[in-house]
Amino acid sequence: MGEFELIRRYFASGGPSREDIALGIGDDCALLRAPTDGQQLAVSIDTLVEGTHFLPGTRADYLAQRLIGAAVSDLAAMAARPAWFTLALTLPEADPHWLDLFSRALAERAAELDIVLVGGDTTRGPLTLSVQVHGWVTPERALKRSGARDGDLVLVSGTLGDSRGGLQTLLDDEPDQPSNAYLRRRFYRPEPRIGLAQALAPYANSGIDISDGLLADLGHIARSSGLGASVDPLLLPLSDELIASVGEDRARQWALSGGEDFELCLTAPADALTICLQLAAERGVRLTCVGHMQPGDDVLLQEDGVSVQLDRAGYDHFGETA
Ligand code: ADP
Ligand code: MG
């Protein structure tokens, strides 16, 4: 199977379209229509490399779900609405079974996330998957990292640490079983909080998605905003499944530094808490206040105002990991 046959068979087969796509896959460029009402284009790219971001032999449909979920999560974190994406595929070989699984799962998940594939690039080499996503955001509603204010509450969606728990069951080589299905799904299938972010954006001052652990990512908000922050480990939202799998202490540690949960971390003034909780509840998403912004230049762990110590390193690709 040649490159063009591969693209035609697996990626250009007419999936859903959108009115704003004047020309999709097949020419030198896609041609896309921009809204005319002053919205800004939000653009982000994410890459998965075999051996670095996933274990060799990982199922192609899981890879597709993780790839598009992680990328769209960046749009969600800006309160942007997903629109289009491009896909750069580097494959060691054109394996029809792999391509079939991958392309079906990608198309299915993209449709659920309301984003359409408009182009890409296909090359031979060590397995590497990249997705660039494009979305639209109202300028004054974009959830930047730099907007947090002293006294803001720190809010997180969902539960934290589950993805790290799912990864551990894979590293431990556990067979698939009902007791680890939830955690594995949280690892393989990120759930970008698109609707929640847009609903909370009018009330929030800053936001980020949690891809490197709460401490690391809240640290980005703190630094960008010229502030410090305080997190109470006892307030962290933990799933029953994670606690059952690794116990409460490790669950708390992974909630702080586990990474790849792709939940939202927002800061909002205290008087917006009630409306934020209500908007989250209406969408059936858990939202938890885990701390607040304060003067300083560090993220501190404090239980009832008293400092506590925990392993606090998030995952850093080019740094030391603890
Ligand atoms: P060019 O050589 O002009 O860059 P290509 O031969 O790489 O074009 O690609 C032909 C068409 O197929 C382009 O429209 C490109 O966007 C699309 N395409 C290539 N690879 C993929 C892919 N993996 N997924 C989706 N579209 C792809
Ligand atoms: Mg060309």
Side-chain angles (χ1 to χ4, degrees):
M1 177 172 31
E3 178 192 337
F4 300 107
E5 170 64 7
L6 184 158
I7 296 166
R8 192 193 60 72
R9 191 185 300 178
Y10 296 103
F11 298 105
S13 54
S17 194
R18 298 168 53 107
E19 283 193 351
D20 53 16
I21 302 175
L23 185 64
I25 294 170
D27 214 312
D28 296 312
C29 290
L31 297 176
L32 307 167
R33 290 192 191 93
T36 51
D37 58 357
Q39 292 186 60
Q40 289 175 337
L41 183 60
V43 179
S44 174
I45 186 162
D46 262 303
T47 298
L48 295 179
V49 178
E50 185 177 60
T52 301
H53 302 100
F54 59 92
L55 304 169
T58 299
R59 281 172 50 161
D61 50 345
Y62 290 173
L63 290 177
Q65 293 177 350
R66 207 162 139 226
L67 182 67
I68 189 69
V72 169
S73 174
D74 282 322
L75 292 178
M78 289 311 275
R81 278 176 298 107
W84 320 296
F85 72 106
T86 53
L87 168 69
L89 269 185
T90 304
L91 306 170
E93 58 180 343
D95 173 353
H97 175 68
W98 191 97
L99 280 161
D100 193 50
L101 258 185
F102 180 84
S103 60
R104 278 172 200 269
L106 189 72
E108 196 179 305
R109 195 65 182 127
E112 287 167 2
L113 298 173
D114 209 12
I115 192 163
V116 171
L117 182 63
V118 294
D121 193 31
T122 306
T123 52
R124 189 184 290 272
L127 185 57
T128 305
L129 318 166
S130 281
V131 150
Q132 183 167 41
V133 290
H134 307 77
W136 294 102
V137 65
T138 310
E140 59 274 19
R141 290 284 155 81
L143 278 173
K144 296 181 197 148
R145 300 175 178 189
S146 56
R149 308 216 180 117
D150 184 16
D152 271 4
L153 302 179
V154 176
L155 307 174
V156 298
S157 65
T159 54
L160 302 181
D162 293 337
S163 176
R164 181 64 183 79
L167 171 62
Q168 194 63 43
T169 69
L170 297 166
L171 294 173
D172 292 345
D173 224 2
E174 287 176 23
D176 272 320
Q177 49 203 357
S179 65
N180 62 31
Y182 168 83
L183 296 177
R184 285 188 177 181
R185 190 174 160 86
R186 293 276 290 163
F187 175 71
Y188 281 128
R189 199 173 185 284
E191 191 57 68
R193 302 298 189 183
I194 302 165
L196 180 68
Q198 284 169 51
L200 299 188
Y203 306 98
N205 287 327
S206 70
I208 193 167
D209 65 328
I210 303 177
S211 54
D212 298 320
L214 175 64
L215 287 180
D217 290 312
L218 178 56
H220 292 313
I221 287 184
R223 218 164 300 114
S224 302
S225 303
L227 287 169
S230 168
V231 168
D232 185 340
L234 296 178
L235 298 180
L236 295 168
L238 306 173
S239 70
D240 295 340
E241 289 86 349
L242 184 62
I243 293 173
S245 173
V246 297
E248 218 174 297
D249 282 352
R250 176 157 294 183
R252 239 174 262 293
Q253 213 152 55
W254 284 352
L256 288 169
S257 58
E260 307 224 314
D261 283 312
F262 298 107
E263 294 293 348
L264 282 179
C265 174
L266 306 170
T267 79
D271 61 13
L273 179 62
T274 308
I275 181 73
C276 289
L277 292 175
Q278 186 186 325
L279 290 166
E282 281 169 12
R283 284 161 182 78
V285 182
R286 191 163 162 181
L287 189 72
T288 308
C289 175
V290 297
H292 61 270
M293 304 305 296
Q294 59 190 19
D297 54 13
D298 211 355
V299 181
L300 304 176
L301 295 174
Q302 298 181 311
E303 289 174 7
D304 296 327
V306 181
S307 289
V308 292
Q309 293 290 322
L310 270 177
D311 170 16
R312 40 171 323 173
Y315 189 68
D316 174 351
H317 287 273
F318 295 105
E320 297 290 318
T321 50

